[in-house]
Amino acid sequence: MEARELLECAATFGISDSSQGSSQFGDTLEIAVFPDQGGRGLGVARNVEQGEMILRVPFAALIGVHCAREDPEFGKVLVDFAHLSSVQILTAYLLSEVAKSCSSRWFSYLRHNPQVHHSLPHFSAMEAEELQVEDAISMAKSSLEDTQRQWRETSSLLSRLRLPRKFTTFKAWLWAAATISSRTLHVPWDDAGVLCPIGDLFNYDAPIERTMSSRNEDDELEFTNRLTDGGYETSISSYCFYARRSYKKGQQALICYGQYTNLELLEHYGFLLPDNPCDVIYIPLPSPEEFGLKSTGDKSERQHNLAAYCIEASGKPSFSLLQQLRLRAVPASLRKSHGYMASQGLPISRESDQLVFLWLQKKCQKLLEKLPTTIEQDERALEQLEKSTSSGSCGVERHKLAIKWRLGYKTILQRCLTYSKGESLGFE
Ligand SMILES: C[S@@+](CC[C@H](N)C(=O)[O-])C[C@H]1O[C@@H](n2cnc3c(N)ncnc32)[C@H](O)[C@@H]1O
Protein backbone atom coordinates (compact mmCIF):
# COMPACT_ATOMS: atom_id res chain seq x y z
CA MET A 1 0.00 0.00 0.00
CA GLU A 2 2.82 2.39 1.01
CA ALA A 3 4.88 1.62 -2.10
CA ARG A 4 1.77 1.77 -4.31
CA GLU A 5 0.78 5.20 -2.97
CA LEU A 6 4.31 6.53 -3.34
CA LEU A 7 4.34 5.29 -6.94
CA GLU A 8 1.04 7.09 -7.52
CA CYS A 9 2.62 10.22 -6.05
CA ALA A 10 5.56 9.78 -8.46
CA ALA A 11 3.20 9.46 -11.41
CA THR A 12 1.14 12.52 -10.36
CA PHE A 13 4.23 14.75 -10.28
CA GLY A 14 5.99 13.25 -13.32
CA ILE A 15 8.87 11.96 -11.17
CA SER A 16 11.02 9.87 -13.49
CA ASP A 17 13.86 7.36 -13.30
CA SER A 18 13.55 6.36 -16.90
CA SER A 19 16.77 5.90 -18.85
CA GLN A 20 14.74 6.66 -22.00
CA GLY A 21 13.77 10.13 -20.73
CA SER A 22 10.04 9.38 -20.35
CA SER A 23 8.08 10.54 -17.28
CA GLN A 24 7.75 7.33 -15.38
CA PHE A 25 9.13 5.68 -12.28
CA GLY A 26 10.18 2.04 -11.85
CA ASP A 27 12.63 1.59 -14.71
CA THR A 28 15.80 2.17 -12.67
CA LEU A 29 14.79 2.28 -8.99
CA GLU A 30 12.47 0.43 -6.66
CA ILE A 31 11.35 1.17 -3.12
CA ALA A 32 12.72 -1.55 -0.82
CA VAL A 33 13.76 -2.16 2.78
CA PHE A 34 17.46 -2.45 3.72
CA PRO A 35 17.45 -3.37 7.42
CA ASP A 36 21.17 -2.74 7.97
CA GLN A 37 21.49 0.44 5.97
CA GLY A 38 18.71 2.90 6.71
CA GLY A 39 15.56 0.75 6.49
CA ARG A 40 13.30 1.94 3.69
CA GLY A 41 15.36 3.14 0.74
CA LEU A 42 15.82 2.90 -3.02
CA GLY A 43 17.27 -0.20 -4.66
CA VAL A 44 18.32 -0.41 -8.29
CA ALA A 45 15.99 -2.39 -10.56
CA ARG A 46 18.71 -2.92 -13.22
CA ASN A 47 22.49 -2.65 -13.42
CA VAL A 48 23.48 1.02 -13.26
CA GLU A 49 26.72 2.71 -14.34
CA GLN A 50 28.50 5.29 -12.18
CA GLY A 51 27.46 8.82 -13.19
CA GLU A 52 24.10 7.80 -14.74
CA MET A 53 21.15 10.02 -13.91
CA ILE A 54 18.94 7.78 -11.81
CA LEU A 55 16.10 10.08 -10.73
CA ARG A 56 14.54 13.34 -11.85
CA VAL A 57 12.02 15.17 -9.65
CA PRO A 58 10.28 18.15 -11.32
CA PHE A 59 10.11 21.52 -9.55
CA ALA A 60 6.31 21.18 -9.10
CA ALA A 61 6.84 18.21 -6.75
CA LEU A 62 9.23 20.04 -4.40
CA ILE A 63 7.95 21.43 -1.08
CA GLY A 64 9.77 24.58 -0.06
CA VAL A 65 9.26 28.08 1.26
CA HIS A 66 8.26 29.12 -2.28
CA CYS A 67 5.12 26.94 -1.87
CA ALA A 68 4.31 28.63 1.46
CA ARG A 69 4.54 32.08 -0.16
CA GLU A 70 2.39 31.03 -3.14
CA ASP A 71 -0.29 29.35 -0.99
CA PRO A 72 -3.28 31.77 -0.92
CA GLU A 73 -4.07 31.25 2.82
CA PHE A 74 -0.56 30.70 4.17
CA GLY A 75 0.97 33.39 1.98
CA LYS A 76 -1.54 36.02 3.17
CA VAL A 77 -0.71 35.38 6.85
CA LEU A 78 3.02 35.04 6.19
CA VAL A 79 3.50 38.68 5.17
CA ASP A 80 3.22 39.64 8.87
CA PHE A 81 6.04 37.25 9.86
CA ALA A 82 8.98 38.50 7.84
CA HIS A 83 11.26 38.00 10.88
CA LEU A 84 10.95 34.20 10.83
CA SER A 85 13.73 32.10 9.30
CA SER A 86 13.18 29.94 6.20
CA VAL A 87 13.43 26.81 8.34
CA GLN A 88 10.70 28.08 10.70
CA ILE A 89 8.45 28.95 7.74
CA LEU A 90 8.98 25.57 6.07
CA THR A 91 8.33 23.71 9.35
CA ALA A 92 5.06 25.63 9.87
CA TYR A 93 4.12 25.03 6.22
CA LEU A 94 4.73 21.29 6.58
CA LEU A 95 2.39 21.23 9.60
CA SER A 96 -0.26 23.18 7.68
CA GLU A 97 -0.06 20.75 4.74
CA VAL A 98 -0.29 17.71 7.04
CA ALA A 99 -3.31 19.34 8.72
CA LYS A 100 -5.03 19.56 5.29
CA SER A 101 -4.97 15.75 5.17
CA CYS A 102 -6.25 14.37 1.84
CA SER A 103 -6.83 17.84 0.41
CA SER A 104 -3.05 18.46 0.37
CA ARG A 105 -1.42 18.03 -3.03
CA TRP A 106 1.27 15.99 -1.32
CA PHE A 107 -1.06 13.81 0.79
CA SER A 108 0.15 10.44 -0.56
CA TYR A 109 3.77 11.51 0.05
CA LEU A 110 3.25 13.13 3.47
CA ARG A 111 1.27 10.25 4.95
CA HIS A 112 4.17 7.87 4.39
CA ASN A 113 6.83 10.00 6.04
CA PRO A 114 8.28 8.42 9.20
CA GLN A 115 6.25 9.28 12.33
CA VAL A 116 9.09 8.66 14.77
CA HIS A 117 12.52 10.32 14.86
CA HIS A 118 15.56 9.76 17.07
CA SER A 119 17.57 12.90 16.37
CA LEU A 120 19.25 14.66 19.32
CA PRO A 121 16.40 17.12 20.13
CA HIS A 122 14.26 14.03 20.94
CA PHE A 123 16.66 12.88 23.67
CA SER A 124 15.36 13.38 27.22
CA ALA A 125 17.90 14.68 29.76
CA MET A 126 18.38 11.11 31.01
CA GLU A 127 18.90 9.73 27.51
CA ALA A 128 21.39 12.53 26.75
CA GLU A 129 23.37 11.64 29.92
CA GLU A 130 23.96 8.22 28.38
CA LEU A 131 26.21 9.88 25.80
CA GLN A 132 28.64 10.36 28.75
CA VAL A 133 30.84 12.92 26.96
CA GLU A 134 30.28 16.53 28.12
CA ASP A 135 30.30 18.08 24.63
CA ALA A 136 27.79 15.55 23.32
CA ILE A 137 25.47 15.98 26.32
CA SER A 138 25.50 19.74 25.92
CA MET A 139 24.90 19.43 22.18
CA ALA A 140 21.78 17.34 22.91
CA LYS A 141 20.60 19.90 25.46
CA SER A 142 21.17 22.88 23.21
CA SER A 143 19.56 21.23 20.17
CA LEU A 144 16.40 20.64 22.25
CA GLU A 145 16.47 24.24 23.56
CA ASP A 146 16.94 25.54 20.04
CA THR A 147 13.94 23.54 18.77
CA GLN A 148 11.84 24.87 21.68
CA ARG A 149 12.88 28.45 20.92
CA GLN A 150 12.07 28.08 17.23
CA TRP A 151 8.61 26.75 18.13
CA ARG A 152 7.90 29.59 20.59
CA GLU A 153 8.94 32.16 18.01
CA THR A 154 6.60 30.59 15.43
CA SER A 155 3.62 30.08 17.76
CA SER A 156 1.80 33.30 16.65
CA LEU A 157 2.06 32.24 13.00
CA LEU A 158 0.72 28.79 13.91
CA SER A 159 -2.24 30.30 15.75
CA ARG A 160 -2.97 32.80 12.92
CA LEU A 161 -3.13 29.81 10.55
CA ARG A 162 -5.95 28.42 12.74
CA LEU A 163 -4.58 24.89 12.60
CA PRO A 164 -6.27 22.24 14.77
CA ARG A 165 -4.58 22.24 18.20
CA LYS A 166 -2.72 18.97 17.73
CA PHE A 167 -0.70 20.58 14.92
CA THR A 168 0.43 23.51 17.05
CA THR A 169 1.86 21.60 20.04
CA PHE A 170 5.59 21.27 20.71
CA LYS A 171 5.30 17.53 19.99
CA ALA A 172 4.00 18.29 16.47
CA TRP A 173 6.71 20.93 15.97
CA LEU A 174 9.43 18.52 17.10
CA TRP A 175 8.23 15.97 14.53
CA ALA A 176 8.02 18.54 11.72
CA ALA A 177 11.42 20.07 12.60
CA ALA A 178 13.03 16.59 12.57
CA THR A 179 11.37 15.85 9.21
CA ILE A 180 12.81 19.06 7.77
CA SER A 181 16.22 18.44 9.32
CA SER A 182 16.50 14.85 8.11
CA ARG A 183 14.84 15.02 4.69
CA THR A 184 15.41 18.38 3.02
CA LEU A 185 17.81 18.70 0.11
CA HIS A 186 19.92 21.73 -0.71
CA VAL A 187 18.61 24.24 -3.27
CA PRO A 188 20.39 27.44 -4.27
CA TRP A 189 17.39 29.73 -3.73
CA ASP A 190 16.52 29.00 -0.09
CA ASP A 191 18.47 28.13 3.07
CA ALA A 192 15.84 25.71 4.32
CA GLY A 193 16.15 23.51 1.22
CA VAL A 194 13.22 21.51 -0.10
CA LEU A 195 11.37 18.30 0.67
CA CYS A 196 11.69 16.11 -2.40
CA PRO A 197 9.15 13.26 -2.74
CA ILE A 198 10.86 9.98 -3.74
CA GLY A 199 14.24 11.79 -3.84
CA ASP A 200 14.23 11.79 -0.04
CA LEU A 201 14.05 8.00 0.05
CA PHE A 202 17.78 7.73 -0.67
CA ASN A 203 19.68 6.60 2.42
CA TYR A 204 23.09 7.97 3.34
CA ASP A 205 26.61 6.88 2.58
CA ALA A 206 29.78 8.69 3.64
CA PRO A 207 31.77 10.73 1.09
CA ILE A 208 34.08 8.59 -1.02
CA GLU A 209 36.24 11.26 -2.66
CA ARG A 210 39.33 11.11 -0.50
CA THR A 211 40.52 9.80 2.83
CA MET A 212 40.42 12.28 5.67
CA SER A 213 44.13 12.03 6.52
CA SER A 214 45.21 13.11 3.04
CA ARG A 215 43.03 16.20 3.31
CA ASN A 216 44.53 19.64 3.53
CA GLU A 217 42.44 22.38 5.15
CA ASP A 218 43.20 24.76 2.26
CA ASP A 219 41.08 22.81 -0.17
CA GLU A 220 38.38 22.00 2.39
CA LEU A 221 35.88 24.15 0.52
CA GLU A 222 36.42 22.37 -2.78
CA PHE A 223 36.13 19.05 -0.95
CA THR A 224 32.78 19.83 0.70
CA ASN A 225 31.40 21.32 -2.51
CA ARG A 226 31.82 18.01 -4.29
CA LEU A 227 29.97 16.04 -1.63
CA THR A 228 26.71 15.79 -3.48
CA ASP A 229 25.29 13.14 -5.74
CA GLY A 230 22.57 15.38 -7.01
CA GLY A 231 21.29 18.91 -7.18
CA TYR A 232 18.73 21.23 -8.69
CA GLU A 233 19.23 21.75 -12.43
CA THR A 234 17.68 24.97 -13.72
CA SER A 235 17.96 23.92 -17.37
CA ILE A 236 15.41 21.13 -16.87
CA SER A 237 13.65 22.61 -13.78
CA SER A 238 14.20 19.40 -11.84
CA TYR A 239 16.12 17.97 -8.91
CA CYS A 240 18.41 15.33 -10.44
CA PHE A 241 20.25 12.44 -8.78
CA TYR A 242 23.26 10.60 -10.21
CA ALA A 243 24.73 7.18 -9.36
CA ARG A 244 27.83 7.79 -7.20
CA ARG A 245 29.17 4.39 -8.26
CA SER A 246 28.12 1.45 -10.42
CA TYR A 247 25.41 -0.74 -8.90
CA LYS A 248 24.29 -4.30 -9.61
CA LYS A 249 20.55 -4.99 -9.79
CA GLY A 250 19.10 -5.28 -6.26
CA GLN A 251 21.78 -3.18 -4.51
CA GLN A 252 20.77 -0.09 -2.59
CA ALA A 253 21.52 3.26 -4.28
CA LEU A 254 22.87 5.66 -1.68
CA ILE A 255 23.70 9.35 -1.69
CA CYS A 256 25.91 11.49 0.51
CA TYR A 257 24.02 14.28 2.32
CA GLY A 258 27.29 15.91 3.36
CA GLN A 259 30.39 15.34 5.44
CA TYR A 260 29.27 14.57 9.01
CA THR A 261 30.73 13.19 12.20
CA ASN A 262 28.57 10.62 13.96
CA LEU A 263 27.48 13.22 16.52
CA GLU A 264 26.32 15.48 13.70
CA LEU A 265 24.49 12.58 12.02
CA LEU A 266 22.77 11.90 15.34
CA GLU A 267 21.93 15.58 15.80
CA HIS A 268 20.36 16.12 12.38
CA TYR A 269 19.37 12.66 11.13
CA GLY A 270 19.00 10.44 14.21
CA PHE A 271 21.33 7.64 13.12
CA LEU A 272 25.01 6.63 13.31
CA LEU A 273 27.23 5.28 10.59
CA PRO A 274 29.36 2.33 11.75
CA ASP A 275 33.00 3.04 10.82
CA ASN A 276 32.16 6.56 9.65
CA PRO A 277 35.40 7.78 7.96
CA CYS A 278 34.41 11.38 8.78
CA ASP A 279 34.11 10.77 12.51
CA VAL A 280 36.55 12.78 14.63
CA ILE A 281 37.28 13.71 18.24
CA TYR A 282 38.22 17.34 18.80
CA ILE A 283 41.24 17.87 21.05
CA PRO A 284 42.04 21.11 22.88
CA LEU A 285 45.69 22.02 22.23
CA PRO A 286 48.12 21.70 25.16
CA SER A 287 49.66 24.69 26.89
CA PRO A 288 53.51 24.98 26.69
CA GLU A 289 53.61 23.87 30.37
CA GLU A 290 52.18 20.49 29.35
CA PHE A 291 55.42 19.91 27.41
CA GLY A 292 57.52 21.21 30.32
CA LEU A 293 58.10 24.56 28.54
CA LYS A 294 57.50 28.14 29.67
CA SER A 295 54.79 30.18 27.98
CA THR A 296 56.14 33.03 25.84
CA GLY A 297 52.70 34.60 25.31
CA ASP A 298 53.35 34.23 21.58
CA LYS A 299 50.19 34.29 19.42
CA SER A 300 51.06 30.86 18.01
CA GLU A 301 50.36 29.46 21.49
CA ARG A 302 46.72 30.52 21.34
CA GLN A 303 43.96 28.19 20.14
CA HIS A 304 42.51 28.88 16.71
CA ASN A 305 40.50 26.93 14.14
CA LEU A 306 39.62 24.37 16.82
CA ALA A 307 37.68 22.18 14.39
CA ALA A 308 40.91 21.22 12.61
CA TYR A 309 42.56 19.80 15.73
CA CYS A 310 41.15 16.36 15.98
CA ILE A 311 41.80 12.65 16.13
CA GLU A 312 40.47 11.01 12.99
CA ALA A 313 38.38 7.84 12.83
CA SER A 314 41.52 5.78 12.12
CA GLY A 315 42.95 6.95 15.48
CA LYS A 316 45.59 9.15 13.84
CA PRO A 317 45.91 12.82 14.74
CA SER A 318 44.76 15.18 11.95
CA PHE A 319 47.48 16.94 9.96
CA SER A 320 46.78 20.22 11.79
CA LEU A 321 46.72 18.63 15.25
CA LEU A 322 50.07 16.92 14.66
CA GLN A 323 51.53 20.11 13.22
CA GLN A 324 50.42 22.15 16.25
CA LEU A 325 51.62 19.53 18.74
CA ARG A 326 55.01 19.46 17.01
CA LEU A 327 55.25 23.24 17.19
CA ARG A 328 54.23 23.30 20.83
CA ALA A 329 56.63 20.56 21.92
CA VAL A 330 59.74 22.63 21.08
CA PRO A 331 61.19 25.81 22.64
CA ALA A 332 60.29 29.13 20.93
CA SER A 333 63.76 29.46 19.32
CA LEU A 334 63.54 26.05 17.63
CA ARG A 335 59.94 26.76 16.65
CA LYS A 336 61.16 29.85 14.80
CA SER A 337 64.05 28.20 12.99
CA HIS A 338 62.54 24.76 12.29
CA GLY A 339 58.76 25.36 12.50
CA TYR A 340 58.52 24.99 8.70
CA MET A 341 59.20 21.24 9.12
CA ALA A 342 55.99 20.79 11.12
CA SER A 343 54.07 22.62 8.36
CA GLN A 344 55.47 20.04 5.91
CA GLY A 345 54.23 17.17 8.08
CA LEU A 346 57.73 16.34 9.36
CA PRO A 347 59.04 15.90 12.93
CA ILE A 348 61.10 18.85 14.22
CA SER A 349 63.30 16.48 16.22
CA ARG A 350 63.20 12.88 17.45
CA GLU A 351 62.93 14.03 21.08
CA SER A 352 60.08 16.44 20.45
CA ASP A 353 58.13 13.85 18.44
CA GLN A 354 58.51 11.39 21.28
CA LEU A 355 57.04 14.04 23.61
CA VAL A 356 54.18 14.63 21.17
CA PHE A 357 53.17 10.97 21.02
CA LEU A 358 53.57 10.50 24.76
CA TRP A 359 51.31 13.51 25.30
CA LEU A 360 48.69 12.08 22.89
CA GLN A 361 48.87 8.70 24.59
CA LYS A 362 48.30 10.25 28.03
CA LYS A 363 45.54 12.52 26.72
CA CYS A 364 43.59 9.56 25.30
CA GLN A 365 44.17 7.55 28.47
CA LYS A 366 42.84 10.41 30.61
CA LEU A 367 39.80 10.98 28.41
CA LEU A 368 38.97 7.25 28.54
CA GLU A 369 39.43 7.06 32.32
CA LYS A 370 37.13 10.05 32.86
CA LEU A 371 34.18 8.18 31.35
CA PRO A 372 32.01 6.11 33.68
CA THR A 373 32.05 2.87 31.62
CA THR A 374 34.58 0.93 29.56
CA ILE A 375 34.28 -0.33 25.98
CA GLU A 376 33.64 -3.87 27.28
CA GLN A 377 30.89 -2.68 29.66
CA ASP A 378 29.22 -0.73 26.83
CA GLU A 379 29.32 -3.76 24.56
CA ARG A 380 27.63 -5.86 27.25
CA ALA A 381 25.00 -3.16 27.92
CA LEU A 382 24.23 -3.01 24.20
CA GLU A 383 23.86 -6.80 23.98
CA GLN A 384 21.39 -6.72 26.87
CA LEU A 385 19.36 -3.95 25.27
CA GLU A 386 19.21 -5.89 21.99
CA LYS A 387 17.74 -8.82 23.92
CA SER A 388 15.36 -6.68 26.00
CA THR A 389 11.65 -7.27 25.50
CA SER A 390 11.08 -3.55 24.99
CA SER A 391 13.69 -3.39 22.18
CA GLY A 392 12.18 -1.27 19.43
CA SER A 393 10.52 1.22 21.80
CA CYS A 394 11.66 4.84 21.36
CA GLY A 395 13.36 4.95 24.77
CA VAL A 396 15.36 1.78 24.12
CA GLU A 397 16.26 2.87 20.58
CA ARG A 398 17.67 6.18 21.89
CA HIS A 399 19.47 4.42 24.71
CA LYS A 400 21.08 2.11 22.14
CA LEU A 401 22.04 5.06 19.94
CA ALA A 402 23.66 6.81 22.93
CA ILE A 403 25.66 3.69 23.85
CA LYS A 404 26.70 3.10 20.23
CA TRP A 405 27.82 6.72 19.92
CA ARG A 406 29.97 6.64 23.08
CA LEU A 407 31.38 3.26 22.01
CA GLY A 408 32.47 4.87 18.74
CA TYR A 409 34.05 7.75 20.68
CA LYS A 410 35.96 5.38 22.96
CA THR A 411 37.05 3.20 20.04
CA ILE A 412 38.67 6.20 18.30
CA LEU A 413 40.46 7.15 21.55
CA GLN A 414 41.61 3.56 22.00
CA ARG A 415 42.91 3.47 18.40
CA CYS A 416 44.79 6.73 18.97
CA LEU A 417 46.24 5.39 22.21
CA THR A 418 47.54 2.27 20.43
CA TYR A 419 48.86 4.32 17.51
CA SER A 420 50.64 6.85 19.74
CA LYS A 421 52.12 4.07 21.87
CA GLY A 422 53.50 2.46 18.70
CA GLU A 423 54.93 5.76 17.47
CA SER A 424 56.55 6.67 20.80
CA LEU A 425 58.03 3.16 21.19
CA GLY A 426 59.66 3.66 17.80
CA PHE A 427 61.89 6.31 19.41
CA GLU A 428 63.28 4.01 22.10
C1 LIG B 1 16.29 11.18 3.70
S1 LIG B 1 15.72 9.96 4.73
C2 LIG B 1 16.09 8.48 3.88
C3 LIG B 1 14.91 7.55 3.73
C4 LIG B 1 14.38 6.93 4.99
N1 LIG B 1 15.05 5.70 5.31
C5 LIG B 1 12.88 6.69 4.89
O1 LIG B 1 12.41 5.59 5.19
O2 LIG B 1 12.16 7.62 4.58
C6 LIG B 1 16.91 10.07 6.01
C7 LIG B 1 16.66 9.14 7.18
O3 LIG B 1 16.88 7.80 6.82
C8 LIG B 1 17.61 7.11 7.83
N2 LIG B 1 18.94 6.78 7.28
C9 LIG B 1 19.49 7.25 6.14
N3 LIG B 1 20.68 6.69 5.89
C10 LIG B 1 20.90 5.82 6.90
C11 LIG B 1 21.98 4.93 7.20
N4 LIG B 1 23.04 4.81 6.43
N5 LIG B 1 21.87 4.19 8.33
C12 LIG B 1 20.79 4.28 9.14
N6 LIG B 1 19.74 5.12 8.90
C13 LIG B 1 19.80 5.88 7.79
C14 LIG B 1 17.71 8.06 9.01
O4 LIG B 1 16.60 7.85 9.83
C15 LIG B 1 17.59 9.42 8.34
O5 LIG B 1 17.08 10.40 9.19
Side-chain angles (χ1 to χ4, degrees):
M1 154 110 146
E2 174 182 286
R4 188 169 49 78
E5 289 198 359
L6 286 170
L7 292 181
E8 276 169 24
C9 163
T12 310
F13 286 110
I15 296 171
S16 165
D17 67 349
S18 163
S19 52
Q20 313 305 321
S22 63
S23 291
Q24 57 183 18
F25 182 82
D27 171 23
T28 305
L29 300 170
E30 59 194 2
I31 300 166
V33 175
F34 302 89
D36 298 327
Q37 230 178 347
R40 186 180 60 170
L42 292 170
V44 297
R46 58 172 177 85
N47 292 351
V48 164
E49 291 299 317
Q50 181 179 23
E52 258 190 70
M53 189 195 280
I54 48 174
L55 184 68
R56 190 160 44 80
V57 182
F59 178 77
L62 308 177
I63 311 178
V65 168
H66 61 278
C67 308
R69 296 198 197 286
E70 284 158 15
D71 182 296
E73 301 285 307
F74 200 107
K76 205 158 67 187
V77 177
L78 192 57
V79 289
D80 295 332
F81 294 89
H83 59 283
L84 293 179
S85 71
S86 281
V87 172
Q88 286 171 312
I89 296 169
L90 186 54
T91 311
Y93 184 66
L94 173 61
L95 287 168
S96 78
E97 279 302 308
V98 175
K100 282 183 193 166
S101 183
C102 54
S103 59
S104 165
R105 256 186 322 134
W106 292 282
F107 177 63
S108 54
Y109 158 69
L110 294 173
R111 71 185 301 220
H112 294 300
N113 267 345
Q115 295 306 302
V116 175
H117 294 279
H118 297 305
S119 47
L120 273 190
H122 293 76
F123 278 54
S124 67
M126 255 167 67
E127 286 159 357
E129 284 296 322
E130 293 293 341
L131 294 163
Q132 293 185 347
V133 178
E134 214 44 62
D135 287 352
I137 298 171
S138 66
M139 191 190 265
K141 193 167 161 241
S142 64
S143 60
L144 171 59
E145 286 167 357
D146 195 47
T147 313
Q148 287 167 329
R149 177 187 55 75
Q150 303 237 16
W151 170 63
R152 278 196 302 274
E153 288 171 1
T154 318
S155 60
S156 328
L157 169 63
L158 294 175
S159 60
R160 284 274 300 281
L161 290 168
R162 298 179 195 284
L163 302 180
R165 210 191 108 58
K166 71 172 183 171
F167 296 104
T168 65
T169 59
F170 178 65
K171 191 173 165 208
W173 182 267
L174 188 60
W175 169 82
T179 301
I180 300 294
S181 165
S182 64
R183 307 188 78 80
T184 45
L185 295 169
H186 170 78
V187 283
W189 64 84
D190 192 82
D191 287 350
V194 290
L195 286 170
C196 178
I198 310 291
D200 66 2
L201 290 178
F202 283 109
N203 284 318
Y204 175 87
D205 200 5
I208 46 179
E209 267 80 355
R210 273 190 283 169
T211 61
M212 296 293 287
S213 48
S214 66
R215 192 158 49 95
N216 175 340
E217 274 81 37
D218 290 343
D219 49 26
E220 175 91 356
L221 191 63
E222 193 211 333
F223 182 64
T224 40
N225 281 346
R226 285 190 284 117
L227 292 175
T228 45
D229 308 301
Y232 188 76
E233 294 184 18
T234 321
S235 58
I236 48 170
S237 304
S238 299
Y239 213 103
C240 300
F241 297 85
Y242 295 86
R244 64 199 324 250
R245 61 177 186 84
S246 300
Y247 294 108
K248 289 256 179 291
K249 183 176 174 188
Q251 285 185 312
Q252 176 170 208
L254 298 162
I255 62 168
C256 175
Y257 314 154
Q259 182 183 319
Y260 293 109
T261 64
N262 265 351
L263 190 57
E264 289 164 340
L265 282 177
L266 192 56
E267 181 186 11
H268 303 295
Y269 297 96
F271 74 95
L272 302 166
L273 198 63
D275 298 317
N276 180 356
C278 300
D279 212 9
V280 294
I281 295 180
Y282 298 110
I283 297 289
L285 294 176
S287 64
E289 288 81 4
E290 287 182 67
F291 282 124
L293 298 165
K294 271 210 178 114
S295 170
T296 58
D298 189 279
K299 72 173 180 343
S300 64
E301 285 173 8
R302 281 182 232 134
Q303 309 254 345
H304 50 96
N305 191 12
L306 287 185
Y309 307 136
C310 55
I311 300 171
E312 295 177 350
S314 62
K316 291 187 182 169
S318 70
F319 182 91
S320 301
L321 175 60
L322 190 54
Q323 176 192 11
Q324 282 299 320
L325 292 177
R326 283 175 164 154
L327 289 172
R328 279 155 197 258
V330 293
S333 54
L334 202 54
R335 196 181 307 150
K336 220 168 176 185
S337 57
H338 285 73
Y340 69 92
M341 297 184 74
S343 323
Q344 291 172 0
L346 300 170
I348 296 179
S349 72
R350 272 179 70 84
E351 296 71 28
S352 62
D353 248 36
Q354 187 170 22
L355 285 179
V356 162
F357 287 108
L358 274 174
W359 181 86
L360 257 180
Q361 199 181 313
K362 279 197 197 131
K363 184 81 190 169
C364 295
Q365 188 85 53
K366 263 197 211 146
L367 287 171
L368 281 168
E369 281 167 7
K370 228 171 67 180
L371 300 171
T373 54
T374 62
I375 292 183
E376 294 69 31
Q377 286 170 323
D378 287 348
E379 283 168 344
R380 276 200 296 277
L382 206 50
E383 249 173 56
Q384 299 221 304
L385 280 178
E386 298 285 2
K387 286 189 212 142
S388 134
T389 48
S390 42
S391 185
S393 76
C394 287
V396 172
E397 283 313 301
R398 283 172 208 147
H399 194 174
K400 281 200 272 190
L401 279 168
I403 299 181
K404 282 183 189 170
W405 180 80
R406 73 190 195 215
L407 250 173
Y409 176 93
K410 291 171 198 180
T411 305
I412 296 179
L413 284 178
Q414 187 59 54
R415 282 185 192 144
C416 184
L417 208 158
T418 311
Y419 172 74
S420 312
K421 216 182 232 172
E423 290 292 302
S424 58
L425 279 178
F427 294 105
E428 283 173 4

